[in-house]
């Protein structure tokens, strides 16, 4: 049974439609990420689930029970939804000690003091913050505050843990650590997680499934692999990993390149690309917008097929090199482990894979 | 079916939306109380303007706008306001530019001394100056003693004295406003001018002053409106000479029991001040909203002061002389009066005594006044804090319709002169409350209500500012942890706004404790306050005791300000 079900949720703020026709079900123990650029309605979706405001239409079920359902006039307040939430600014209460912060949900629920203490000890051990009980939040580092916020969100065994850009306030190295940490907690406690982020790397590395959003609408829901390998549209392709976009056209059994993604696809600066059968095309190849990841290219000095290109510049990034290769009017980013190409070298460019939209 | 549902959905969403803010059920009770406490008396005041001989008429207005003495008091008010503003600017602006830009030896202490006149209640400071420069003031006596003249050198009574004291209370306002925006001003503007070879005087004239113009005009408006609203100073230094301004004219008209329709005429007179007040309120909010994106950038302010050159000592000398003549001397004078055995005696050691101070604690008149004032101040500060907190919570956190009106009604009386508030309260409560049959007039409670009305705005503003600083996520974290709205207030909002609550409390307590303007119109026998007591003692010629009482007030006020400074971590004190 699904833990959370969004059913055609729409949320309007005056004239702005922040979330539009949003449907999603989160399975028990699943780690789901809402991914999209800032302002696309991720936080609003999360807050709709938390019950900070009602949806304009649609309904939300938590654990099979309606939580927000205007048609049935049901609206559970946030505190009765059995959710844990880590806020972007952590929202630790500055006037309470770590221990008081973490125990607060239990205190509100009226649990006996001994149970509170035991739970606090247990949860602080899980987030590796034992021994900090009597400190105040301002005496902790950003990463430590994050752990305490996690502990507070987890202490009353929530059905779903909501994380709103939890890592965006941390510096890069700490962010890596916390990713692993959150994954570990997820595995250990088996709690469902709904994470919000605009960082695709974060989404890809942590989630079971990703929901890609833009302007309040869902573009695609899928596993990280699905999103990477078969994005359904240009937006998803551009947001999940870097991609080269260009216009292509099929002439007979050949694939032609006809300009960058903004061009009208006329023949003017058309450039021969490669025979169709060697291009591994997804989508109908008559004419359209092509998309290829930097790793989807093959460049060589002397291949018989392929378009003619010139290496314009290169970026050495450790395990591989990114070459900027000009083919006609377009500059492709090509990533390969072959470091031997010099700037100015003539190469032949062909695709290992192209996606056509 | 869907279309018929859409409407219901939207309504339910709106209702829930409103509930999702903090929507306490008592919000309308608070609104009602505030409306009655402040709105109803002011309404009565407006009604009285349109009555004469108990009939609907414009006669009161006619009298107030044409009667010779009324017209004179209006012109006098204008005169006092304009002169006070001009001189306050002439002193305050240069002072701020010097103290804010150049490191002066002893600058901190000098600054504290020069700000003292603003803290001390106007009537106390006027009294102090009277002791220095009244016809038998120490300076005049000293002058007559050495020159053998039979006439005093200068008398503080009359328009000059009134303006002088008001200027002394006005320039600190200018100083504080200007120095604040000087602090926030991006030093880059000035430095850029200096890079292009502008001299420092030239920089000040072409860059600094124009940038400061909005805050200077804001301060000017503040000085003008607070000086035309002042009652204590013209009452002590103007009225004895027959120099009346609107506030004192309204006061004496209210007390002219023999004059027919005196209250109607007084109400009509107050129209001048209300109109001026509203005008300035509007001007001020316009200037403030413009200023926000002109000068104040927050970052890049200049904190480093220019190092003291040899001219630093010149400034020290000038400011010390100023502080000595304008602040220390009058305080010494009133201090001497408080320890001199009988009024008029020379300040010699054998004439000194502490009996005036001890009598404060033994005489029932003064002990009653002390007790009354402390009681009133405590109650009004506490009630203002509680009500102000609730109103601030509603205006800052709820999504209830009408919350803006609530804020407006609660904070407007702050900018209405006390004399007018008192008049409105007399008009509203002079007759027993209908249905209940209780009369508030001549009781303690009418004074308390007037204080509440006048000072509520201070706590609402202070606490609102504090609540604005509290991130909403702290409260949401409480809600999602299972907290109810009352727990959100009790566990999160209240402890986090403690600073604002304590600051607001003191901000009401201190002015309530030495309030004169409203108390003098609303008190009845046995209900005297400290202000009323000092004023009466002064009228009765019991100068020594009045002076001793004033010293007590000064000490309380200075201590109170220190406390405020500490409680609000320097955000709300004057003496830096
Ligand atoms: N309480 C609100 N009132 C009005 N508009 C809002 C409110 N909350 C969010 N919005 C608007 O809804 C849109 C989505 O916001 P949000 O969900 O915060 O985006 P994200 O978290 O993806 O950056 C934005 O255009 C934002 O301005
Ligand atoms: Mg967001």
């Amino acid at each position: 049974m699904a833990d959370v079900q969004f059913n055609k949720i729409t949320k309007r703020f005056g004239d702005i439609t922040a979330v539009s026709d949003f449907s999603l079900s989160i399975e028990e123990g699943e780690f789901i990420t809402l991914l999209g650029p800032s302002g696309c309605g991720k936080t609003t979706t999360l807050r709709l689930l938390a019950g900070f405001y009602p949806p304009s239409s649609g309904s939300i079920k938590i654990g099979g029970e309606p939580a927000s359902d205007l048609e049935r006039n049901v609206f559970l307040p946030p505190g009765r939804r059995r959710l844990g939430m880590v806020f972007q600014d952590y929202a630790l209460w500055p006037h309470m000690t770590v221990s008081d912060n973490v125990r607060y949900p239990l205190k509100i629920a009226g649990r006996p003091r001994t149970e509170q203490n035991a739970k606090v000890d247990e949860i602080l051990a899980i987030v590796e913050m034992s021994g900090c009980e009597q400190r105040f939040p301002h005496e902790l580092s950003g990463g430590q505050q994050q752990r305490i916020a996690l502990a507070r969100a987890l202490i009353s065994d929530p059905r779903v843990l909501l994380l709103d850009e939890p890592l965006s306030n941390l510096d890069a190295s700490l962010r890596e650590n916390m990713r692993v940490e959150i994954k570990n907690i997820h595995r250990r406690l088996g709690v469902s997680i709904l994470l919000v982020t605009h960082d695709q790397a974060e989404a890809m590395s942590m989630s079971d499934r990703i929901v890609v959003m833009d302007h309040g609408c869902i573009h695609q829901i899928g596993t990280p692999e699905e999103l990477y390998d078969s994005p359904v549209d240009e937006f998803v392709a551009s947001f999940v990993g870097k991609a080269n976009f260009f216009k292509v056209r099929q002439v007979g059994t050949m694939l032609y390149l006809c300009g960058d993604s903004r061009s009208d696809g006329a023949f003017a600066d058309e450039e021969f690309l490669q025979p169709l059968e060697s291009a591994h095309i997804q989508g109908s190849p008559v004419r359209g917008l092509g998309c290829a990841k930097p790793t989807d290219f093959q460049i060589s000095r002397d291949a018989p097929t392929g378009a003619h290109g010139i290496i314009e510049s290169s970026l050495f990034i450790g395990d591989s090199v990114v070459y900027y290769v000009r083919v006609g009017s377009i500059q492709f980013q090509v990533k390969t482990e072959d470091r031997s190409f010099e700037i100015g070298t003539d190469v032949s460019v062909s695709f290992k894979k192209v996606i056509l939209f | 079916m869907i279309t018929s549902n859409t409407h219901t959905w939207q309504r339910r969403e709106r209702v829930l939306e409103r509930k999702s803010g903090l929507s306490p059920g008592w919000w309308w009770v608070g609104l009602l109380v505030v409306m009655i406490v402040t709105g109803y008396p002011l309404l009565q005041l407006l009604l009285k303007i349109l009555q004469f001989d108990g009939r609907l008429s414009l006669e009161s207005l006619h009298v107030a706008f044409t009667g010779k003495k009324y017209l004179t008091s209006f012109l006098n008010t204008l005169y006092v306001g304009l002169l006070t503003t001009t001189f306050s600017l002439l002193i305050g602006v240069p002072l701020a530019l010097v103290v804010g830009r150049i490191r002066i030896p002893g600058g901190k202490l000098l600054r504290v001394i020069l700000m003292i006149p603003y803290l001390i209640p106007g009537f106390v400071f006027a009294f102090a100056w009277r002791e220095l420069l009244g016809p038998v003031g120490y300076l005049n006596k000293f002058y007559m003693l050495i020159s053998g003249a039979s006439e005093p050198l200068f008398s503080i009574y009359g328009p000059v004295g009134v303006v002088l004291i008001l200027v002394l209370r006005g320039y600190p306002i200018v100083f504080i406003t200007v120095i604040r925006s000087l602090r926030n001003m991006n030093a880059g503007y000035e430095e850029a001018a200096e890079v292009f070879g502008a001299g420092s005087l030239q920089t000040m004239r072409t860059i600094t002053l124009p940038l400061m113009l909005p805050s200077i005009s804001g301060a000017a408006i503040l000085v003008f409106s607070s000086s035309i609203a002042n009652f204590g100073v013209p009452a002590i230094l103007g009225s004895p000479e027959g120099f009346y301004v609107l506030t004192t004219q309204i006061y004496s008209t209210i007390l002219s029991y023999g004059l027919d329709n005196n209250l109607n005429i007084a109400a009509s007179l107050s129209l001048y001040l209300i109109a001026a007040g509203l005008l300035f309120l509007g001007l001020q909010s316009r200037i403030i909203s413009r200023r926000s994106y002109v000068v104040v950038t927050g970052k890049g302010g200049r904190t480093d002061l220019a190092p003291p050159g040899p001219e630093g000592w010149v400034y020290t000398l000038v400011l010390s002389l100023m502080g000595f003549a304008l602040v220390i001397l009058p305080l010494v004078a009133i201090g001497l009066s408080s320890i001199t055995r009988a009024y008029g005696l020379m300040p010699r050691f054998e004439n000194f005594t502490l009996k005036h101070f001890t009598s404060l604690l033994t005489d029932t008149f003064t002990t009653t006044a002390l007790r009354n004032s402390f009681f009133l101040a405590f109650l009004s500060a506490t009630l203002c804090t509680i009500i102000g907190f609730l109103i601030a919570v509603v205006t800052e956190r709820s999504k209830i319709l009408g919350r803006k009106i609530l804020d407006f009604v609660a904070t407007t009386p702050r900018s209405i002169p006390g004399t007018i508030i008192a008049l409105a309260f007399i008009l509203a409560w002079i007759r027993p409350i209908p249905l209940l049959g209780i009369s508030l007039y001549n009781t303690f409670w009418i004074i308390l209500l007037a204080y509440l009305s006048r000072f509520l705005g201070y706590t609402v503003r202070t606490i609102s500012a504090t609540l604005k600083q509290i991130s909403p996520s702290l409260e949401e974290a409480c809600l999602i942890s299972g907290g109810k709205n009352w727990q959100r207030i009790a566990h999160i909002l209240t402890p986090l706004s403690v600073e604002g609550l304590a600051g607001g409390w003191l901000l009401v307590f201190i002015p309530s404790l030495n309030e004169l303007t409203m108390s003098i119109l609303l008190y009845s026998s046995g209900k005297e306050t400290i202000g009323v007591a000092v004023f009466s003692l002064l009228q009765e010629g019991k100068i020594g005791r009045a002076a001793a009482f004033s010293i007590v007030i000064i000490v309380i006020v200075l201590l109170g300000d220190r406390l405020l400074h500490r409680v609000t971590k320097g955000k709300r004190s004057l003496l830096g």
Side-chain angles (χ1 to χ4, degrees):
Chain A
M1 185 191 59
D3 235 7
V4 171
Q5 264 181 304
F6 290 90
N7 186 16
K8 298 196 162 145
I9 287 287
T10 295
K11 181 63 187 175
R12 279 181 289 269
F13 295 109
D15 293 338
I16 303 169
T17 302
V19 176
S20 161
D21 205 22
F22 185 98
S23 295
L24 170 72
S25 74
I26 303 175
E27 303 303 323
E28 216 168 316
E30 204 178 11
F31 193 135
I32 293 227
T33 298
L34 301 183
L35 175 66
S38 141
C40 74
K42 308 178 297 287
T43 298
T44 307
T45 310
L46 204 68
R47 294 167 58 84
L48 280 165
L49 174 58
F52 289 133
Y53 32 61
S56 303
S57 66
S59 61
I60 298 175
K61 278 186 187 172
I62 301 177
E65 299 292 317
S68 297
D69 190 341
L70 293 195
E71 197 175 7
R72 295 192 212 169
N73 206 8
V74 173
F75 188 76
L76 289 184
R80 290 186 35 210
R81 296 184 173 220
R82 283 200 50 205
L83 302 169
M85 183 157 177
V86 174
F87 293 83
Q88 194 165 0
D89 59 358
Y90 312 142
L92 295 179
W93 299 302
H95 60 295
M96 295 186 196
T97 59
V98 163
S99 149
D100 288 341
N101 263 286
V102 174
R103 87 172 62 241
Y104 189 80
L106 300 182
K107 204 174 114 189
I108 290 283
R111 302 289 177 73
R113 187 83 188 177
T114 45
E115 184 192 330
Q116 289 179 22
N117 288 341
K119 271 293 232 178
V120 168
D121 287 347
E122 183 193 338
I123 206 79
L124 284 182
I126 288 177
V127 297
E128 295 173 8
M129 287 295 290
S130 302
C132 291
E133 286 84 356
Q134 294 317 312
R135 292 218 229 150
F136 282 93
H138 64 89
E139 297 169 329
L140 303 176
S141 70
Q144 289 173 317
Q145 291 183 13
Q146 166 104 75
R147 286 162 193 266
I148 301 304
L150 261 172
R152 183 180 64 187
L154 289 169
I155 196 156
S156 47
D157 297 323
R159 205 148 15 200
V160 187
L161 177 63
L162 311 180
L163 306 169
D164 190 355
E165 312 243 359
L167 307 180
S168 62
N169 284 336
L170 301 177
D171 52 43
S173 63
L174 208 52
R175 213 177 292 169
E176 295 279 321
N177 282 343
M178 280 313 288
R179 272 191 214 172
V180 178
E181 202 76 28
I182 292 175
K183 272 307 277 184
N184 284 342
I185 287 172
H186 176 234
R187 206 172 311 120
R188 244 179 103 173
L189 301 180
V191 60
S192 311
I193 293 185
L194 183 59
L195 175 112
V196 156
T197 182
H198 62 265
D199 180 343
Q200 57 97 12
E202 203 171 296
M204 301 291 274
S205 61
M206 296 170 80
S207 331
D208 295 330
R209 279 194 300 156
I210 298 175
V211 180
V212 183
M213 295 178 69
D214 190 32
H215 290 107
C217 298
I218 296 181
H219 278 248
Q220 189 172 5
I221 304 179
T223 63
E225 294 79 13
E226 281 166 2
L227 295 187
Y228 192 84
D229 292 338
S230 15
V232 297
D233 57 22
E234 186 187 357
F235 177 78
V236 177
S238 67
F239 210 78
V240 179
K242 261 202 186 74
N244 297 284
F245 292 100
F246 44 86
K247 287 266 165 62
V248 288
R249 221 166 74 79
Q250 175 196 9
V251 178
T253 58
M254 295 297 179
L255 195 60
Y256 281 82
L257 190 63
C258 28
D260 64 18
S261 58
R262 280 180 308 279
S263 71
D264 55 7
F267 282 89
D269 46 358
E270 203 156 293
E271 194 82 29
F272 165 72
L273 212 46
Q274 70 191 93
L276 270 183
E277 80 269 14
S278 65
H280 301 286
I281 295 175
Q282 287 183 7
S284 71
V286 178
R287 144 193 299 243
L289 182 69
C291 160
K293 301 258 145 77
T295 47
D296 290 341
F297 290 90
Q298 198 149 31
I299 52 175
S300 62
R301 283 191 190 77
D302 45 25
T305 62
H308 170 251
I310 298 174
I311 307 265
E312 288 196 328
S313 58
S314 67
L315 267 179
F316 178 61
I317 53 170
D319 54 350
S320 53
V321 187
V322 173
Y323 293 105
Y324 292 79
V325 185
R326 175 154 304 278
V327 177
S329 62
I330 309 178
Q331 193 185 48
F332 289 121
Q333 281 184 44
V334 177
K335 192 169 165 186
T336 165
E337 285 172 17
D338 187 347
R339 304 181 190 174
S340 65
F341 296 99
E342 310 246 315
I343 292 173
T345 314
D346 289 319
V347 288
S348 145
V349 183
S350 60
F351 295 108
K352 289 187 272 187
K353 189 180 129 193
V354 188
I355 301 171
L356 286 182
F357 299 123
Chain B
M1 185 201 136
I2 285 176
T3 38
S4 71
N5 266 348
T6 317
H7 187 70
T8 334
W9 279 18
Q10 282 178 353
R11 214 193 54 235
R12 283 180 185 163
E13 184 192 1
R14 271 202 306 277
V15 170
L16 286 169
E17 190 84 63
R18 235 172 277 150
K19 275 196 194 158
S20 68
L22 238 179
S23 62
W26 36 255
W27 72 275
W28 61 271
V29 181
L31 177 64
L32 214 64
V33 169
V34 173
M35 283 283 192
I36 291 173
V37 167
T38 62
Y40 173 69
L42 290 174
L43 205 68
Q44 277 292 323
L45 184 80
L46 295 180
L47 285 179
K48 268 288 185 277
I49 293 172
L50 300 175
Q51 284 176 14
F52 201 78
D53 289 334
R55 280 177 293 104
L56 207 63
S57 153
L58 291 178
E59 187 59 24
S60 325
L61 273 177
H62 183 71
V63 173
F65 281 76
T66 54
K68 186 158 179 306
K69 62 178 174 183
Y70 304 129
L71 216 53
T72 310
S73 66
F74 169 67
L75 292 176
N76 284 346
T77 304
L78 216 56
Y79 167 83
V80 166
L82 287 176
L83 278 185
T84 303
T85 311
T86 311
F87 283 106
S88 296
L89 289 177
L90 286 179
I91 300 176
V93 174
L95 192 64
L97 290 179
V98 167
V99 174
R101 282 289 183 254
I102 299 164
R103 200 182 307 144
I104 298 166
K108 267 221 173 80
L109 179 67
L110 285 169
R111 192 180 153 181
V112 169
I113 290 173
L114 287 169
M115 289 303 111
I116 285 179
Y118 180 63
L119 290 182
I120 301 175
F123 67 95
V124 171
F125 207 52
F127 177 25
W129 272 89
R130 208 195 75 145
E131 293 314 288
L132 189 66
L133 277 178
V136 288
Y138 292 105
L139 218 57
N140 278 328
K141 262 196 290 197
F142 183 66
Y143 163 77
M144 289 190 283
L145 192 74
I146 43 175
S147 69
S150 57
E151 285 293 301
L153 175 67
F154 170 79
S155 170
I156 192 79
Y157 283 116
V160 178
V162 172
V163 170
L164 173 69
I165 308 304
L166 289 178
V167 167
L168 293 181
R169 291 173 52 73
Y171 80 75
I173 299 181
V174 178
F175 174 83
I176 292 161
T177 321
V178 173
I179 209 156
R180 259 188 211 147
S181 66
L182 210 56
R183 282 260 164 76
N184 292 333
M185 194 168 86
N186 194 333
Y189 297 135
E190 287 186 325
E191 279 156 9
E194 278 158 29
V195 166
F196 290 121
S200 58
L201 256 185
Q202 206 176 352
T203 307
M204 202 152 268
R205 195 168 52 77
T206 55
I207 308 290
T208 317
L209 273 181
L211 279 174
M212 310 256 70
L213 213 54
S215 62
I216 292 176
S217 38
I221 286 169
L222 214 60
V223 171
F224 189 90
S225 45
S226 75
S227 60
I228 64 172
N230 191 289
F231 167 79
V233 175
I236 287 183
L237 296 180
S239 305
E241 278 265 290
F243 178 77
Y244 284 95
V245 294
L246 280 170
T247 49
T248 46
Q249 185 64 57
I250 293 172
Y251 171 72
S252 78
T253 307
I254 294 172
L255 296 190
S256 308
Y257 300 116
L259 179 70
D260 285 339
N261 295 303
N262 64 328
L263 292 183
N264 305 58
I265 295 170
S268 302
L269 274 176
S270 56
L271 210 54
Y272 286 116
L273 289 173
I274 293 181
L278 289 183
L279 181 71
F280 289 130
L281 207 64
L283 274 179
Q284 207 182 357
S285 60
R286 277 195 57 178
I287 285 175
I288 285 172
S289 64
R290 251 178 46 211
R291 180 176 57 181
S292 57
Y293 58 85
V294 176
V295 185
V296 184
T297 56
K299 293 244 162 61
R302 187 185 259 191
T303 43
D304 53 322
L305 301 178
E311 81 277 11
W313 288 102
V314 178
Y315 287 124
T316 308
L317 189 69
V318 172
L319 295 187
S320 308
L321 281 176
M322 217 173 119
F324 180 72
L326 299 179
V327 185
I328 306 290
L329 266 188
L331 292 183
V332 168
I334 197 171
L336 285 176
S337 292
S338 75
I339 54 169
T340 304
R341 195 151 40 82
Y343 193 55
L345 288 181
M346 274 296 159
R348 286 202 208 90
F349 189 75
E350 64 267 26
N351 291 335
F352 287 165
T353 170
L354 282 179
K355 72 170 184 184
H356 300 309
F357 284 94
T358 52
S359 77
L360 291 183
L361 296 175
T362 53
D363 185 80
T364 47
F365 178 67
T366 48
T367 50
T368 309
L370 273 170
R371 208 177 41 237
N372 285 346
S373 273
F374 270 97
F375 185 58
L376 276 170
F378 178 81
L379 269 185
S380 76
T382 308
L383 286 173
C384 279
T385 307
I386 295 172
I387 300 174
F389 178 65
L390 296 183
I391 291 177
V393 165
V394 170
T395 54
E396 291 300 321
R397 288 297 193 267
S398 83
K399 294 170 183 165
I400 286 165
L401 301 169
R403 59 186 191 277
K404 289 270 151 57
I405 302 176
L406 185 61
D407 183 77
F408 178 79
V409 175
T411 54
T412 303
R414 209 170 49 137
S415 1
I416 298 178
T419 312
I420 297 179
I421 301 260
L423 173 59
F425 271 75
I426 293 174
L427 293 173
W429 307 120
I430 195 161
R431 261 173 296 219
I433 302 171
L435 300 180
L436 293 178
I438 311 167
S439 181
L440 280 176
Y441 194 61
N442 278 347
T443 67
F444 217 68
W445 310 115
I446 193 170
I447 307 181
L448 181 66
L449 282 186
Y451 285 10
L452 280 185
S453 160
R454 183 83 205 282
F455 297 128
L456 183 58
Y458 291 87
T459 52
V460 172
R461 279 281 167 275
T462 316
I463 299 170
S464 289
T466 314
L467 290 185
K468 278 201 178 78
Q469 311 270 313
I470 299 176
S471 158
S473 63
L474 292 173
E475 293 157 63
E476 286 165 1
C478 168
L479 291 181
I480 205 158
S481 302
K484 307 236 171 12
N485 269 337
W486 72 266
Q487 287 162 321
R488 163 186 185 183
I489 294 180
H491 297 162
I492 313 295
L493 275 182
T494 309
L496 288 181
S497 42
V498 136
E499 198 181 277
L501 293 173
W505 192 90
L506 278 170
L507 231 41
V508 174
F509 185 79
I510 300 168
S512 299
L513 197 61
N514 51 51
E515 213 284 333
L516 168 70
T517 313
M518 294 184 292
S519 323
I520 193 87
L521 279 166
L522 297 173
Y523 86 98
S524 48
S525 171
K527 316 287 187 313
E528 292 87 357
T529 64
I530 294 180
V532 171
V534 172
F535 200 73
S536 314
L537 289 171
L538 209 54
Q539 306 285 333
E540 293 165 23
K542 294 176 181 163
I543 307 301
R545 212 178 314 161
F549 221 158
S550 299
I551 296 289
V552 172
I553 293 180
I554 293 171
V555 170
I556 290 176
V557 162
L558 294 183
L559 286 181
D561 186 73
R562 286 293 78 192
L563 195 59
L564 189 62
H565 180 73
R566 179 162 298 181
V567 164
T568 63
K569 308 207 171 71
K571 266 179 254 157
R572 298 232 169 231
S573 160
L574 293 171
L575 305 183

